Amino acid sequence: MPEGHTLHRLAAQINTVFAGHPWRVSSPQGRFSAGAERLDGQVPQHAEAWGKHLFVHLGPAVWQVHLGLYGAFSFRGDADFAAEATIGAPRAAAVTFEPTYDDDGWLIPEPPKGAVRARVSARHGWADLRGPTTCAVLDPTEYQAVIDRLGPDPLRQVMPGQGESGPQLPAQTDAELRATFLHNLSRRRISIAAALMDQAVIAGVGNIYRAESLFLERLDPYTPSNQLDPERAAALWDRLTEQLRDGVDEGRIRTVRTRGPRRHWVYKHQGTPCQRCGAVIEAAELVGRRLYWCPGCQRD
DNA sequence: CATCGATGTTTAA
DNA sequence: TAAACCTCGATGC
């Protein structure tokens, strides 16, 4: 699930169902008990995503979640909640039992199943967080330190002269973010494939978007980042922006835009013919992750 | 029922 | 470079 698109959907979902009202927070599993106590009864004011990080602001405190490889939120609630949560973050569902409510009129949730790191509850429903790599309460200094290490996120751009990209952050346009991306690439000698996985270069790209964007741009994944033609690097940024936006819209990564079951051009298609040139798609290990590409059409 | 692998990152060596 | 983190669906026997 979790490349950047997932976190932006989650932020939107949390804003829809939780923001502006006091919530209840607990840690059924126990590993987030102290943090849950600090958040319990507070008002979540605004959720935002930056790359693969989710931040929920509650006054000066910030709840930070990073899903890592297999973390996930699940949303459940009564019919009102399910109707409201139509964005459909990963694993949204209406409860199947007949809902009952406590003395304050809050839905009584199901007992947690498995290892639930954090449970956040609203009046009509709740969300369970499992398996995150990070779940922490930050003060403003710590929050700043996290975002200082993140490169531009294509999903955080604003129209020129418009809006806000975060509570205390300067809003940047597409052109400004793209320029930062090009600058970051120009300062690294690692391959473009390695650079796309570096969240300080561009935030929100993971292994699937890496493979699929390089394929569509016909880029050799082993080209050194600082030798990439600036125009092709700009086109790569634009391609990733388009792909991430599609991911937000659809709730899943589908880079093959034609109808049919096939979702990816090269990701996990090693050993089969390229749909564009017929060469056999390859896979190789690169800095600890599997890289997929077509040696036929991804060449300089 | 056991094992493996995954859309990720940090830390240690 | 490897291990650790810690969850779950897919696969194999």
Side-chain angles (χ1 to χ4, degrees):
Chain A
M1 289 301 191
E3 294 194 29
H5 67 299
T6 301
L7 282 299
H8 282 266
R9 285 173 67 86
L10 271 172
Q13 182 76 290
I14 287 169
N15 282 325
T16 299
V17 299
F18 291 117
H21 309 283
W23 65 2
R24 297 174 179 172
V25 184
S26 61
S27 178
Q29 171 209 52
R31 289 190 50 191
F32 185 56
S33 297
E37 205 162 313
R38 288 181 60 188
L39 302 180
D40 187 41
Q42 302 290 306
V43 177
Q45 289 147 350
H46 178 69
E48 59 163 343
W50 188 325
K52 299 169 192 168
H53 295 258
L54 171 70
F55 302 106
V56 182
H57 297 264
L58 312 95
V62 182
W63 184 32
Q64 177 203 14
V65 174
H66 193 298
L67 296 177
L69 198 50
Y70 40 67
F73 273 92
S74 59
F75 292 77
R76 291 171 73 67
D78 63 18
D80 288 346
F81 186 85
E84 193 182 34
T86 48
I87 303 165
R91 307 185 197 185
V95 294
T96 50
F97 57 89
E98 186 59 34
T100 56
Y101 298 85
D102 67 17
D103 292 344
D104 297 322
W106 288 49
L107 175 70
I108 297 172
E110 288 177 311
K113 272 187 292 190
V116 176
R117 182 78 58 87
R119 167 170 284 183
V120 292
S121 302
R123 209 177 168 81
H124 292 278
W126 73 93
D128 285 342
L129 170 63
R130 302 157 192 278
T133 197
T134 303
C135 173
V137 180
L138 308 182
D139 64 31
T141 309
E142 294 169 319
Y143 168 68
Q144 190 64 45
V146 172
I147 62 177
D148 282 349
R149 284 186 273 109
L150 293 172
D153 177 346
L155 294 175
R156 290 182 66 89
Q157 57 190 256
V158 297
M159 300 306 287
Q162 296 289 312
E164 278 294 315
S165 64
Q168 44 201 276
L169 309 168
Q172 290 195 284
T173 64
D174 180 44
E176 291 165 336
L177 296 173
R178 187 198 290 109
T180 305
F181 173 62
L182 296 194
H183 175 74
N184 291 343
L185 290 183
S186 72
R187 294 176 55 87
R188 286 165 216 253
R189 283 185 282 181
I190 56 175
S191 65
I192 182 60
L196 287 183
M197 297 294 276
D198 182 344
Q199 301 298 298
V201 170
I202 178 171
V205 175
N207 207 19
I208 300 179
Y209 284 126
R210 161 174 81 171
E212 299 291 295
S213 63
L214 290 174
F215 172 81
L216 284 172
E217 291 304 312
R218 301 177 184 264
L219 287 168
D220 182 338
Y222 292 100
T223 302
S225 163
N226 62 356
Q227 288 176 30
L228 200 58
D229 178 274
E231 289 202 7
R232 299 192 71 186
L236 179 59
W237 169 271
D238 293 342
R239 179 72 72 179
L240 281 163
T241 301
E242 169 193 300
Q243 291 180 329
L244 282 158
R245 282 180 181 162
D246 286 344
V248 172
D249 289 346
E250 294 190 38
R252 67 198 323 195
I253 302 175
R254 186 171 67 88
T255 50
V256 175
R257 303 305 301 172
T258 52
R259 282 190 307 125
R262 185 167 177 133
R263 301 226 297 270
H264 312 308
W265 294 102
V266 292
Y267 177 75
K268 282 197 171 169
H269 285 293
Q270 74 275 24
T272 69
C274 171
Q275 302 290 292
R276 194 164 55 189
C277 78
V280 176
I281 293 165
E282 286 196 33
E285 205 77 9
L286 181 69
V287 283
R289 307 300 300 279
R290 214 126 150 91
L291 170 70
Y292 304 86
W293 82 104
C294 171
C297 47
Q298 292 180 253
R299 291 195 265 170
D300 295 328

